[in-house]
Amino acid sequence: MNITYSIIAPIYNELESLPELYRRVTTVMDDNGESWELVLVDDGSTDGSTEKILELAKQDDHVRAVIFARNFGHQIAITAGWDYARGRAIVIIDADLQDPPEIIPELAKKWKEGYEVVYAVRAEREGEAWFKKLTAAFFYRLIYLITDVKIPLDTGDCRLMDRKVVDVLKQMPERHRFPRGMSAWVGFRQVGVPYKRAARYGGVTKYPFKKMLKLALNAITSFSYFPLQVATFFGFASAGLAILAIPVVIYLRVAGIPQFTGQATTLIAVLFLGGVQLISLGILGEYIGRLYDEAKGRPLYIVRDKPHD
Ligand code: UDP
Ligand code: MG
């Protein structure tokens, strides 16, 4: 089997966009002329997307269906796409057509120039709520600041990767994954291509605030120890403050200057330190929970149906 392009689209209740996604990918890829496949990963949809995907796969040999046993999340669906894709270049796009399939030839052009990772940079975002844009912008910058891998700003999961890169990514079994961080971490020759991120074609976002927060936590904990170091910093800072306070208090006492009367000061100090300790414990817990998940070594996803193999 000799396939040049594998296009992966993770799908969670995208019945409205699916036919249009299929139509536009088919048009673009047929125009392009080289062999291709569309890997549709159904992430536990409940709106009939599953049946639609199976139907498309039956009608057209270009379409490969992977049906999950339940919802495992966007990142895991992308991972399954990597596992099932057979092409020499692997492209990830959103099923809601926010990443227009028409950019695939542009990404491919850079790939042909010799770049192994070609990521799409959101130069403009259309039709998204200001809250989403603001939190996304903040998130990208925070991650950039505190993680060790320099994940390009304003870049989502939409990208083209060479087979070599995907083979490396497939060897990274981590559970709480952040695919765009992973693909930055591996190195290789990388380049960005700006594009205009469109509005959703149909349906609503599958990323409520809770999922965004989870993704942000995955990104931070997978690529940085910074939160753990913050606890150390606070420890040294408050211990240092205490040591400095000792001679001051002795001096004030000896000099007979009335000092620190009342409970307020004590109370504030106790509450502050108690708070810092609990937060540090929580941060530790966050990392330990993840360690525990990794230690269990459960499969990343469960496939219910894959009509092609
Ligand atoms: N998605 C998924 N599983 C999930 C949530 C989302 O496979 O649990 C898919 C979704 O169908 C879409 C892509 O991931 O193809 C991006 O999701 P969405 O467009 O809702 O995110 P947004 O663009 O609003 O950040
Ligand atoms: Mg979207």
Side-chain angles (χ1 to χ4, degrees):
M1 181 68 61
N2 193 359
I3 293 174
T4 310
Y5 297 102
S6 292
I7 293 119
I8 301 172
I11 289 158
Y12 181 48
N13 295 340
E14 302 284 6
L15 191 58
E16 273 179 61
S17 316
L18 252 176
E20 182 68 6
L21 172 76
Y22 169 70
R23 191 188 67 75
R24 277 172 61 183
V25 169
T26 306
T27 311
V28 170
M29 296 318 291
D30 280 348
D31 273 356
N32 191 50
E34 284 168 283
S35 55
W36 60 278
E37 64 175 359
L38 175 62
V39 182
L40 297 175
V41 185
D42 175 43
D43 187 13
S45 298
T46 51
D47 68 340
S49 298
T50 315
E51 289 68 29
K52 184 74 201 171
I53 293 170
L54 289 171
E55 188 193 313
L56 287 172
K58 215 168 170 183
Q59 278 171 11
D60 184 347
D61 280 344
H62 284 115
V63 180
R64 284 189 99 201
V66 182
I67 313 291
F68 278 2
R70 64 167 168 85
N71 179 254
F72 281 90
H74 180 200
Q75 283 75 42
I76 302 289
I78 290 178
T79 308
W82 291 343
D83 291 341
Y84 282 87
R86 298 167 298 176
R88 287 193 292 120
I90 288 101
V91 183
I92 305 165
I93 56 171
D94 274 3
D96 58 4
L97 293 161
Q98 282 198 281
D99 312 318
E102 290 72 26
I103 63 169
I104 297 172
E106 286 172 50
L107 303 179
K109 212 172 104 201
K110 288 282 173 200
W111 176 56
K112 298 234 153 124
E113 284 173 20
Y115 291 99
E116 283 121 343
V117 177
V118 188
Y119 50 86
V121 185
R122 302 165 175 177
E124 248 180 84
R125 300 170 77 117
E126 236 177 35
E128 278 179 298
W130 64 268
F131 181 72
K132 175 108 191 178
K133 283 193 208 171
L134 192 78
T135 44
F138 172 72
F139 166 65
Y140 289 130
R141 275 146 194 87
L142 178 75
I143 304 286
Y144 193 85
L145 207 69
I146 71 170
T147 59
D148 307 325
V149 276
K150 289 305 163 214
I151 301 165
L153 291 174
D154 301 319
T155 310
D157 289 305
C158 177
R159 61 192 57 223
L160 180 151
M161 289 185 287
D162 190 88
R163 162 67 36 202
K164 279 184 281 188
V165 180
V166 172
D167 283 343
V168 174
L169 292 173
K170 278 163 71 174
Q171 288 168 25
M172 294 163 71
E174 61 217 66
R175 178 155 312 271
H176 299 279
R177 13 183 80 222
F178 187 54
R180 54 195 99 154
M182 292 164 70
S183 88
W185 181 84
V186 294
F188 289 97
R189 273 161 295 175
Q190 310 216 357
V191 71
V193 170
Y195 79 114
K196 192 168 159 200
R197 189 161 160 89
R200 223 173 203 286
Y201 180 77
V204 291
T205 175
K206 309 300 175 319
Y207 262 93
F209 186 66
K210 207 176 132 197
K211 270 195 189 164
M212 277 163 47
L213 203 65
K214 206 173 139 201
L215 180 68
L217 275 178
N218 280 356
I220 295 168
T221 52
S222 311
F223 290 99
S224 162
Y225 299 128
F226 179 75
L228 292 170
Q229 290 158 344
V230 169
T232 318
F233 167 76
F234 265 109
F236 274 108
S238 48
L241 206 67
I243 289 169
L244 285 181
I246 295 170
V248 177
V249 172
I250 292 175
Y251 169 76
L252 291 175
R253 178 68 59 89
V254 170
I257 303 167
Q259 24 88 21
F260 303 125
T261 47
Q263 296 167 355
T265 331
T266 325
L267 210 62
I268 287 170
V270 168
L271 284 179
F272 176 76
L273 272 184
V276 168
Q277 280 173 351
L278 285 178
I279 292 169
S280 310
L281 269 180
I283 293 172
L284 263 181
E286 201 58 54
Y287 280 86
I288 292 175
R290 275 150 213 274
L291 264 175
Y292 180 49
D293 277 344
E294 299 295 348
K296 281 191 285 197
R298 290 189 184 154
L300 284 181
Y301 55 86
I302 302 164
V303 173
R304 197 186 79 205
D305 203 1
K306 42 175 179 176
H308 280 284
D309 326 73

